[in-house]
Amino acid sequence: EYQWKGPFYFIQGADPQFGLMKAWTHGDTNNGDDEWGEEIKLAEQAVQAINKLNPKPKFFVLCGDLVHGMPGSRWKKNQEQDLKDVLKNTDQDIPLVFVSGNHDIGNTPTREAIDDYCKNWGDDYFSFWVGGVFFLVLNSQLYVDSSKCPELRQAQDAWLDEQLAVAANQKCKHIIVFQHIPLFLSKPDEDDDYFNLDKSVRQKIMEKFHKAGIRAVFSGHYHRNAGGSYKGLEMVVSSAIGCQLGQDTHGLRVVVVTEEKVVHRYYSLTELGSHGIEKELLDLLA
């Protein structure tokens, strides 16, 4: 879909992270993830809310940390299977887009862990078009620590440059990026933190994105809503479907793309499930 066909919207979710709620409550984030019934219910609620929406979203993107178990950990396979069982119920006309998070491929990913993720969920980085808008999915873990697979980081960098060249030639309406780890949480020059990319890496990526005319970057990882902007590039950090680490509610973000802009709003699962999208956003689609 290289051509602009009029306004549309998609749904962004992040961090269903099956297993974190118990691990967090028990203060054992390494081995305490042996129950995830609460997360299953929340993910089911998310799928039910999305299925009810009218008109349908163009796709549903999950921005990483699909489950809590790290590669090789005891419960990972069961957590993944249970998440797949919930997601199978998503309306067949709503494509699912998966983004890899640190729990999906490891804090220091290896080629094996990434291969395993790709077999399970699809490529760890790729691009796609919807109605004249160009979307890029990145593996942000390669920007955090690629020490065990430097060649994969180089490959993603080379691929990204090629993709941005394609976008420039195609005269797309907007370019939008999905990645798990935010570039920054509120300010482009904020200090390094577990929840953002290191300044040295961040600066280069922000500048590259800005030069390419990227409109927005959507991410998760923080389990709270946050965001800011850098020279017209908006950084949108969405809270989790699963465990909340702040005051936000379990929720999803509705993102409306018009010819001029990208407008979004975070809804609690309950709110989206019972009331759907409010008129103000629906009017943008008309």
Side-chain angles (χ1 to χ4, degrees), residues 163-274:
Q163 296 294 308
L164 293 174
V166 167
N169 287 338
Q170 285 284 355
K171 305 273 187 288
C172 51
K173 281 287 172 211
H174 307 292
I175 310 172
I176 293 173
V177 171
F178 299 119
Q179 59 187 56
H180 178 61
I181 308 233
L183 297 167
F184 55 88
L185 298 173
S186 58
K187 297 190 179 70
D189 59 352
E190 70 197 15
D191 291 341
D192 295 349
D193 186 294
Y194 170 75
F195 289 110
N196 61 22
L197 288 181
D198 284 359
K199 266 186 177 168
S200 53
V201 182
R202 181 196 315 165
Q203 194 55 47
K204 286 190 191 111
I205 297 174
M206 290 191 309
E207 204 39 47
K208 177 182 281 194
F209 284 5
H210 162 65
K211 286 203 174 103
I214 290 172
R215 178 58 66 109
V217 176
F218 288 87
S219 69
H221 188 53
Y222 192 43
H223 295 255
R224 286 157 279 215
N225 287 310
S229 64
Y230 171 80
K231 299 183 180 176
L233 164 73
E234 192 183 5
M235 180 66 243
V236 185
V237 185
S238 291
S239 197
I241 292 172
C243 188
Q244 298 300 314
L245 301 183
Q247 301 306 307
D248 293 298
T249 51
H250 308 282
L252 294 164
R253 193 173 290 278
V254 172
V255 186
V256 176
V257 183
T258 73
E259 205 160 357
E260 290 78 37
K261 54 193 179 181
V262 177
V263 184
H264 51 86
R265 187 183 153 203
Y266 186 83
Y267 288 83
S268 75
L269 296 178
T270 316
E271 191 184 5
L272 193 62
S274 56

Side-chain angles (χ1 to χ4, degrees), residues 44-60:
E44 286 173 343
Q45 199 183 342
V47 167
Q48 285 158 7
I50 291 168
N51 286 348
K52 275 176 152 173
L53 295 171
N54 183 22
K56 288 183 181 27
K58 282 285 190 177
F59 59 88
F60 171 29

